[in-house]
Amino acid sequence: APAGDAPNGRHFPEGFLWGSATASYQVEGAVHEGGRGATVWDTFSHTPGKVHNGDTGDVADDFYHRYKQDIQLMKEMGLKACRFSVAWSRIFPTGTGSPNAAGVDFYNRLVDTLLAAGVQPYCTLYHWDLPQTLEDKGGWENRDTAKAFADYAAYTAGKLSDRVRHFMTMNEMRSFVEIGYGSGTHAPGKKLAPGPLAQLTHNVVLAHGMSVQSIRASTKAGTRVGIADNATATTPIIENEEHIAAARKAMREENAMFLSVILDGKYSEHYLKRLGADAPKFTAEELKTISSPMDFVGINIYTPLFVRADRSEKGYAVVPWTSTYPTMASPWLKIGPEALYWGPKLLADVWGVKEIYITENGASSADVLAPDGEIYDTDRTMYLRNYLMHLQRGITDGVPVKGYFLWSLLDNFEWADGYEKRFGITYVDFKTQKRTPKLSAKFYEEVIRQNRVV
Ligand code: PNW
């Protein structure tokens, strides 16, 4: 080991799965090719005033045509795994009905190219690009959407499971529910009242559970099914007994309508009490479906939620952000490396989860080209180094994290922020589609090569 090494060497276990993550609408482009149907994000991004600068995903990173070169980039960086998502409307252009062979072909080629490059494919079945036809029938407010999702997921996973071992049902339920249907700043841009929003949330977790079952029924034995949830990473404000106990309670409570109902098979009393007349209607049978056992749990972690002990009935309180708290280029992205210790640790402690992946972690920065043509994103590199230190600390303490997917391989369509916020470790010139690995890519490559935080 190099001189000055920490006693434990900051090493990761042998075989640790280093990866990167992307999502269909954010990178693919080619929205009118291969028989793809329109999605809520096509509609939303083409509605004036919804996305920064009027940007759309029409071209994005043109990944649909450039995936081979991009997989070559992954290979050069030494990536062991790639998390990608399937665009539902490439497989079923109107959400249901007959499958579109050209769509399946694209993902077949993608998976084959990844495998040939020695990169393991991890497939997400829903990363927010709902077919527009389904939204026209009520979207996630309509319980039939849950059935349509389970059917699409089963069909797609069935086609890929001879080569793809890991499937994630959904990405970040809280984001597309609360931002898409609550505040309305993401597609489809609705602002539902608390009652209908809670019922929609219930349909979403039900869709997840139904798809866990349908994927199991349609895939090869040994297929592993999980989720990529943005579980709120409750983090003790000070690491002592009382605040850690508070963070533990908060973990269950703050995730009540998403991961907690999935892992507990019931809604917490506080959640139902807090909603009162707005609480969702559900049956015992549905709760059973929602909590269908998973093989692994993936969590996306960017920011902690600091909590402290208090004497309230809940036993904890959320600590508000100070106005000077450091953030990355996105105002919501508060820097809190401890979240990558406490998120997975509480997942393991509270629910006994035995196989955890960090399905996303990364940062936006104001990347600029230096005169020598390089991008020295020292802030993103600092961010990654510090978060990875805490991930390593957790694994050393026995937290069963098997892999880490950095968001993102490429700068891409950052939803309502358009192309203004860059999350890539590879810079993309959106005029020429030229890719330039940033300092952070070189840092990550070295982390992977040495299998330790450098
Ligand atoms: C995640 N917030 O989104 C998504 O899974 C990605 O598609 C996205 O590009 C990435 O993180 C970076 O934003 C989030 O407001 C969007 O707290 C918004 C929030 C969190 C995550």
Side-chain angles (χ1 to χ4, degrees), residues 23 26 127-128 171-172 175 179 186 230 300 302 332 360 407 412 414-415 423:
Q26 295 181 273
H127 202 124
W128 309 355
N171 178 72
E172 298 203 353
S175 296
I179 316 182
H186 276 191
N230 56 329
N300 299 354
Y302 292 89
W332 58 267
E360 281 180 29
W407 184 275
N412 59 46
E414 177 55 13
W415 307 114
F423 273 82

Side-chain angles (χ1 to χ4, degrees), residues 165-167 208 212 215-216 219-227 263 292-298 352-357 400 402:
R165 311 307 286 150
H166 294 80
F167 291 94
H208 154 80
V212 170
I215 294 167
R216 288 212 193 287
T219 53
K220 261 183 61 171
T223 298
R224 302 188 67 77
V225 189
I227 193 166
L263 295 173
S292 303
M294 296 187 281
D295 301 302
F296 66 90
V297 176
V353 177
K354 300 245 162 13
E355 186 172 331
I356 300 171
Y357 291 91
K402 307 298 178 192

Side-chain angles (χ1 to χ4, degrees), residues 231-237 239 299-307 321 324-344 358 360-364 379-380 382-391 393 404:
T232 298
T234 56
T235 299
I237 196 70
E239 291 194 12
I299 43 173
N300 299 354
I301 295 188
Y302 292 89
T303 288
L305 183 78
F306 286 119
V307 301
W321 298 104
T324 50
Y325 195 94
T327 69
M328 294 299 287
S330 311
W332 58 267
L333 216 176
K334 317 281 185 205
I335 303 170
E338 314 87 302
L340 219 43
Y341 176 80
W342 287 103
I358 305 304
E360 281 180 29
N361 170 243
S364 48
D379 52 349
R380 180 179 290 105
M382 170 278 288
Y383 173 103
L384 293 172
R385 181 183 294 120
N386 282 284
Y387 275 71
L388 288 177
M389 295 260 219
H390 278 275
L391 181 62
R393 174 187 162 214
Y404 170 90

